[in-house]
Amino acid sequence: MCGIVGYLGSRQAAPILLDGLSKLEYRGYDSAGVCVMSGGILRVAKAKGRLAVLNGLIDGGKAIEGTFGIGHTRWATHGAPSDVNSHPHMADAGKIAVVHNGIIENYMRLKQQLLKKGKHFQSETDTEVVANLIEYYYDKLKDFPRAVRRAVGQLEGSFALGILCQDLPGTMIAVKKESPLIFGYGDGENFIASDVPALLKHTRKIVHLLDGDIAIITKDSVQFYDAFFDRVERKIEYVDWDISAAEKCGFDHFMLKEIHEQPTAVKGTISPRIRDGRVVLDDIKISRDYLAGLKKIYIVACGSSYYVGCLGKYLLEKTCRIPVEPVLASEFRYSAPVMGEDTLVLVISQSGETADTKAAMMEAKRHHARTLAIVNVVGSAIALEADDVIYTWAGPEIAVATTKAFSTQLSVIYLITLYFAELLGTIEPAEYQSIVSEMTKLDQKISLCLTRENVAKIRYYAEQYFTARDAFFIGRNLDCGVCREGSLKLKEIAYIHSEAYAAGELKHGPISLIEDGTLVVAVCTVDALFDKAMSNLVEVQSRGAEVLGITTENREAEFKVKVPSVITVPETHPMLQPSLTIIPLQLFSYYVALLRNCDIDMPRNLAKSVTVE
Ligand code: G6P
């Protein structure tokens, strides 16, 4: 969601802020703005729409001169997307400017009090309340840091803030509570940002601010204070990302690039954890005794990460014989889940910042359940709070619609399944060996799904079906889990109404929606259920549906007898098949979205990292 960038140095700030914001576009936004100290006053330029609009407004930054400032991309929460609701927000008397990511839950109460004290408001946002509250205390205390501290003490909710004070040129204050914020060290210049890509051009030396932190920053210095306003040191980290990780590298979209990065990402996640034919999870401290006493595993996540959890249920239950329940994180806290020390809560999140997932995890901790997180972003909030973490080494994922993070999360589920099953003795050694052996080949088989020939075939089918108004994705067992993710991709990036159903469930209602020309994507790879799945498919075909089938190469001939439009994937161990089946579905959505002229990397209304509940 919202992106923050801040700069203090000797270079012109506005172009640096605009460039930094362009690297945060992936987070999702609907308006953008900058504030630069220019000729002794805080000057703000902001506009609804894409960054290009703001760029045009200030001539790529040249129209506002000044060497320090703050910038923001806004994803609307309080108040519709509009010029006036965009950040930065100025306080009433123009002394304080604020950019904010998060939500101030008590902003209405604070606004009422500030109105009574004579403050005026222009926007409907919670952020303008923060600016005015700081200005109110600044007028009383005549001390910028103390004013920020007093104001922050009254704020409830989540917030990352970048704050400037007109009377104190050359100083910026950054505050973090729950929403992510990093500080970047430069040479005679310093930065803040919501995420690493905004800083990569300038520095790799960073600090992840912790909850409650206040940083007082000049171009040559930074001082960190904790929630008690005691001076603290914060751990410096060095980002080792290749800059190409945040560039498109010749691909038309980040999504396409990330689809093609999947073999490398999956290999990078799996291979360090397989040694001498065994799964080794040094990352976690879970013992056989603990597992043997486990009554239940909850898998808690949102969006695609939740669908990984749905696949995880099949795999873990079947292989480890422990009851597993995937629950949407936004529902988990409010459904009074039965849990305690004998419950493991597996939390899955690419960003490690998703507010619902984090809140669900904290609820699990309150009930003394053990938490194991599968996270992509190192040092993110969920990674820091969980009892154990397994990182997916997918590298930065920029496209809003996840692909390589999904695949690496799934890879970690395989690793956990095998690791637990071996400890519990619920898997035959030969079966274990055969899965491990196939896992080491998974990256090569994903590459086979991505050959030029296969991509061309998927593109051909995208051309046949891109005008569809509705789509159904049907499959059984693991195929059903893959369908959920495939259907979500089509909704997210191609804006086609799409539903995923367990193929056997279709006849209990949704089949009434099938009419001439309805697109049905049918995934049939589970051997034991192949005939049943084919029957379901024929049921919809005979009611006029246009069926596009996905199956394994060895089933192609049999499949084609009934359904002529077929995309095939190589075979692997049945447990690992979803890693291959999902690839054509990702590509199909990508090409359908391309043909529909959709904004693939930044779909409307969506955010990459959803930091509000
Ligand atoms: C957003 C993204 C999805 C993602 C979900 C969960 O909705 O658009 O692609 O699956 O959040 O994100 P997380 O970072 O927790 O995996």
Side-chain angles (χ1 to χ4, degrees), residues 514-574:
I514 303 289
E515 52 188 22
D516 271 353
T518 308
L519 172 61
V520 175
V521 179
V523 181
C524 298
T525 69
V526 179
D527 258 347
L529 294 167
F530 188 79
D531 292 338
K532 283 195 189 345
M534 286 308 279
S535 308
N536 298 139
L537 202 154
V538 172
E539 282 160 16
V540 292
Q541 207 174 30
S542 60
R543 285 163 177 82
E546 297 262 357
V547 179
L548 172 62
I550 316 282
T551 193
T552 46
E553 282 159 359
N554 61 329
R555 291 281 195 182
E556 185 177 11
E558 204 181 336
F559 205 94
K560 273 196 158 159
V561 173
K562 301 216 167 111
V563 179
S565 304
V566 186
I567 297 168
T568 59
V569 293
E571 250 191 303
T572 179
H573 186 282

Side-chain angles (χ1 to χ4, degrees), residues 283-296:
D283 330 47
I284 60 176
K285 303 168 284 300
I286 287 183
S287 67
R288 201 207 94 81
D289 283 352
Y290 168 77
L291 284 177
L294 261 191
K295 289 233 166 59
K296 182 160 188 173

Side-chain angles (χ1 to χ4, degrees), residues 16-31:
I16 294 173
L17 297 174
L18 289 170
D19 179 69
L21 292 177
S22 75
K23 301 292 186 285
L24 298 180
E25 280 188 293
Y26 73 92
R27 294 173 70 83
Y29 73 107
D30 42 53
S31 53

Side-chain angles (χ1 to χ4, degrees), residues 446-460:
I446 295 175
S447 295
L448 291 174
C449 300
L450 292 166
T451 59
R452 197 177 289 243
E453 194 191 352
N454 279 331
V455 173
K457 196 168 173 188
I458 295 162
R459 201 183 166 127
Y460 165 79

Side-chain angles (χ1 to χ4, degrees), residues 59 86 88 134 207 210 223 323 431 454 527 542 554 591 610:
D59 192 15
S86 312
I134 296 171
V207 165
L210 301 184
Q223 294 168 354
E431 174 76 345
N454 279 331
D527 258 347
S542 60
N554 61 329
Y591 285 112
V610 181

